[in-house]
Structures are given as structure tokens and as C-alpha cells.
Amino acid sequence: MRCSSGDISEEYHDNASAWLYCVRRDVDGNTSPTGGVCLFTSNLFPSNVVTLHTSLQAVAVRIHIHSLVTVCCVYLPPNDVVPQVDLNHLVSQLPAPFILLGDFNGHSPLWGHDVTNFSWTADRTVDF
């Protein structure tokens, strides 16, 4: 699969395509000039795409490194209001154990903001 992004040069893709696998979800260019999500995994480790049923910009891969783990990457645009139920639904689709990565555009006093713009907490515990 070939991936392209304004943030990653085509030359990089040409050189990396032999050792990287790319899973991506683009947004419709007619509704948003930016956005989308992409996850690269090494071809050195077996992996499978996890099919997600969500309107969120998210992709997930089940990868076997030392053990089987799910990696999910999600992008939450800064001006979108994301309902709690959508986040819970996404998490419920991820086989455990999982790692949830992404650009959440979250604000919190924990990292220097005056306000908090989210209150989501996971209702699943993952032990490694």
C-alpha cells in the first residue's frame, strides 16, 4: 500500500515502502481541507488491520512484536465536538491489550493550559 501525505515526502515513501506498511484514513476533501490519519508499521513484524466502525478519524492495527497488541491512531480536530459515546464506541472495538495514540487537541492544566476541554476516562484497564 502506498501512502502519501503533505507532511511526509514522496521520496521518503519510495525509500520506506520496502520496510514500512501504511494504514490510512483520509477525510473527504470537499468537507475538510485538512485531517485524516495514518499509521505506519514495520514489515518486520506480522500485522493485520483492525476494521473500525466509527465516524472518527481513526485506524488500528493488531501487531505481533513480543506479544500481540493493538495500536490505534486517532485524530480529533481542534474545533470538533466529539461525543463521549463516540470515544467509548471506538475503545470498545479495540482488542486488548491496546495502545491509543493520536492528536487529541486536548487542553488541560496538566500541560500548561488554563482550561480543560475534555473529561473522558477509559472504562477499561489494560495490563501489560
Side-chain angles (χ1 to χ4, degrees):
M1 173 183 282
R2 186 174 182 134
C3 238
S4 77
S5 166
D7 295 335
I8 302 172
S9 72
E10 286 298 323
E11 180 180 329
Y12 175 80
H13 287 293
D14 292 340
N15 294 333
S17 62
W19 53 275
L20 288 178
Y21 178 71
C22 173
V23 179
R24 66 187 252 187
R25 180 173 181 176
D26 296 322
V27 296
D28 182 359
N30 296 331
T31 60
S32 174
T34 63
V37 65
C38 183
L39 178 64
F40 288 96
T41 61
S42 170
N43 286 331
L44 298 176
F45 301 98
S47 63
N48 295 325
V49 175
V50 175
T51 301
L52 299 174
H53 303 283
T54 180
S55 60
L56 297 175
Q57 297 178 52
V59 292
V61 173
R62 193 102 161 114
I63 187 166
H64 194 279
I65 302 172
H66 296 291
S67 62
L68 198 55
V69 65
T70 303
V71 178
C72 179
C73 185
V74 63
Y75 171 64
L76 302 180
N79 297 318
D80 284 7
V81 175
V82 179
Q84 177 79 38
V85 67
D86 289 353
L87 294 170
N88 291 344
H89 181 59
L90 175 64
V91 169
S92 73
Q93 297 177 68
L94 301 176
F98 65 85
I99 301 169
L100 185 61
L101 308 168
D103 183 348
F104 302 108
N105 286 295
H107 298 187
S108 172
L110 290 173
W111 45 86
H113 289 274
D114 294 334
V115 297
T116 297
N117 68 345
F118 65 93
S119 62
W120 182 64
T121 57
D123 59 356
R124 293 173 61 183
T125 303
V126 179
D127 295 319
F128 290 94

